Amino acid sequence: MIVRIMGEGQVRLADDHLTELNKLDDELLAEMESGDEPGFRQTLAALLDAVRRLGSPLPDDSLEPSELILPAPDASLDEVRAMLSDDGLIPG
Amino acid sequence: MSGVMKRMGMIFRAKANKALDRAEDPRETLDYSYQKQLELLQKVRRGVADVATSRKRLELQLNQLQGQSSKLEDQGRKALALGREDLAREALSRRAALQQQVTDLETQHQTLQGEEEKLTLAAQRLQAKVDAFRTKKETIKATYTAAQAQTRIGEAFSGISEEMGDVGLAIQRAEDKTAQLQARAGAIDELLASGALDDPSGLAKDDIQSELDRLSGGTDVELELQRMKAELAGGSSSSQQAIEGGQGQGQQSGQSQDTPRFDKQ
């Protein structure tokens, strides 16, 4: 599974790591929904660290669509919320 | 998975243009667009297939109804032949009702056929567009990759020039150091010559020693000269003494001549 960290690049992850990541991901979502900024920052950092630790980075010139996408490390709670609340359609 | 990762992924696929502008690889965006177009094309094709299936079902129903209609017509004809007009009337009235259904179905069939043709045309056009997009996408991706490579080459060149600059600096430093060492060596030579520095090799002499040597050298010459003169005079001790006495007198007279000058002062 290919995961993209926005502004950083792509990482290839084995599917069996997803359970561990899912836990953090759900936690992150809960913190985002409750507006817990310090918690959000901490969990986002932990999640990104876990992705970097468990995954192997893809070369910059590889062209693989990402199945999962994570916010940039410096993304704020409001930014992520704004991105997620946009009920967008296919561009164009 | 329903967390941020999944939702971000979905949003990304759906929209997230702002984020794309900020962070994503344009080649990836193109691939996603292409994927979306393929999905759309798939939907249109599925639509065409659904319409075609409905049309076929209508055709089957029409055939069935027309069969029943023909059957009723035959039955009416037979009833009349048997003198049963009432039965013939019944058959014909049922046939009329069926005929109405057939007309309705035929209208529906025509509409569906029109839709199907339109959708087929749309699918063909979309297919052409998707093909064109794929070509364009590959061109854009290639251009982007080339531009990226060019940037990397540029960076590498600037890196090389920086390194060359470093080499130049190193050479400059080496030259400076050599010049400095030469200057120092020259200075040391001068200092040794002047006696300000001791020469551990013992070859160099300070100025005082040089002067002493010069003076003693002069004395030796004078002594040698006297010795030679004495030899020429025959080697007698009287002459020797006379010369020495003469010299002593001369010296004395010299001293006497100098004396008044001291007085003057």
Side-chain angles (χ1 to χ4, degrees):
Chain A
M1 176 168 283
I2 311 284
V3 181
R4 174 176 288 277
I5 300 175
M6 291 176 79
E8 218 177 273
Q10 288 176 302
V11 167
R12 189 187 296 280
L13 270 174
D15 287 351
D16 50 358
H17 293 312
L18 281 178
T19 323
E20 181 183 344
L21 295 175
N22 260 334
K23 210 169 144 264
L24 284 167
D25 191 30
D26 290 341
E27 217 173 291
L28 188 69
L29 185 66
E31 281 154 354
M32 197 199 74
E33 280 166 355
S34 67
D36 176 8
E37 177 90 45
F40 174 83
R41 295 233 61 81
Q42 202 180 340
T43 312
L44 177 61
L47 181 56
L48 294 178
D49 283 347
V51 169
R52 290 186 201 111
R53 177 167 45 84
L54 300 170
S56 50
L58 287 186
D60 288 341
D61 55 356
S62 76
L63 284 172
E64 304 222 30
S66 312
E67 285 163 80
L68 299 171
I69 294 173
L70 273 165
D74 58 350
S76 71
L77 191 148
D78 286 341
E79 276 174 336
V80 175
R81 190 182 281 157
M83 277 194 273
L84 292 181
S85 63
D86 261 356
D87 50 344
L89 288 167
I90 303 160
Chain B
M1 184 181 298
S2 59
V4 174
M5 285 202 281
K6 179 76 176 173
R7 283 174 65 176
M8 289 271 298
M10 280 161 62
I11 296 287
F12 175 77
R13 285 175 191 87
K15 197 180 172 188
N17 276 333
K18 284 177 284 178
L20 286 177
D21 290 344
R22 194 159 64 89
E24 293 303 325
D25 189 330
R27 291 170 297 188
E28 189 165 348
T29 321
L30 288 171
D31 284 339
Y32 271 120
S33 297
Y34 179 61
Q35 217 172 310
K36 281 288 136 195
Q37 288 184 17
L38 283 182
E39 281 172 23
L40 196 64
L41 183 63
Q42 201 65 32
K43 274 185 193 165
V44 172
R45 281 187 181 149
R46 215 171 289 141
V48 175
D50 287 349
V51 171
T53 312
S54 302
R55 176 177 54 79
K56 285 210 168 136
R57 199 177 296 134
L58 276 184
E59 282 170 6
L60 281 174
Q61 281 180 358
L62 271 172
N63 284 340
Q64 227 174 348
L65 286 177
Q66 275 162 349
Q68 281 179 18
S69 176
S70 305
K71 195 177 161 191
L72 284 169
E73 198 183 338
D74 286 348
Q75 284 174 341
R77 202 171 282 129
K78 275 179 192 165
L80 263 185
L82 292 168
R84 290 288 304 270
E85 200 179 320
D86 58 332
L87 268 181
R89 189 166 305 210
E90 178 60 27
L92 286 177
S93 65
R94 282 188 194 177
R95 184 179 168 268
L98 278 182
Q99 212 52 45
Q100 184 57 45
Q101 279 188 49
V102 168
T103 314
D104 288 350
L105 283 182
E106 273 172 350
T107 316
Q108 276 188 47
H109 182 258
Q110 274 176 359
T111 314
L112 274 182
Q113 212 162 18
E115 285 296 313
E116 193 184 335
E117 279 166 15
K118 270 195 241 168
L119 278 174
T120 310
L121 200 65
Q124 282 169 354
R125 281 188 188 152
L126 193 58
Q127 174 74 61
K129 275 190 181 176
V130 171
D131 287 347
F133 181 81
R134 194 189 57 215
T135 313
K136 199 171 176 183
K137 166 179 84 84
E138 292 308 320
T139 314
I140 293 171
K141 269 162 64 178
T143 315
Y144 182 82
T145 311
Q148 240 184 359
Q150 219 164 355
T151 312
R152 282 197 198 119
I153 290 167
E155 281 167 1
F157 262 122
S158 67
I160 288 166
S161 63
E162 269 170 32
E163 264 176 47
M164 291 303 279
D166 286 350
V167 170
L169 271 180
I171 290 170
Q172 183 66 48
R173 271 200 299 274
E175 282 175 352
D176 287 351
K177 187 145 188 164
T178 309
Q180 201 185 342
L181 282 173
Q182 280 172 344
R184 191 156 178 249
I188 288 171
D189 282 349
E190 276 177 30
L191 287 169
L192 283 172
S194 72
L197 274 182
D198 289 332
D199 179 13
S201 66
L203 292 172
K205 293 173 179 174
D206 61 46
D207 53 348
I208 297 169
Q209 186 61 44
S210 299
E211 185 64 16
L212 283 173
D213 287 352
R214 191 179 62 76
L215 287 172
S216 65
T219 313
D220 289 346
V221 170
E222 288 300 319
L223 285 172
E224 186 67 13
L225 199 63
Q226 281 182 24
R227 195 181 53 78
M228 282 169 79
K229 279 179 181 173
E231 278 174 9
L232 282 170
S236 69
S237 61
S238 61
S239 308
Q240 179 82 21
Q241 282 167 356
I243 290 166
E244 286 171 354
Q247 192 181 24
Q249 275 177 351
Q251 279 172 346
Q252 278 168 3
S253 67
Q255 278 170 354
S256 64
Q257 277 173 352
D258 285 340
T259 310
R261 283 194 292 176
F262 284 114
D263 290 341
K264 264 186 192 174
Q265 288 171 345

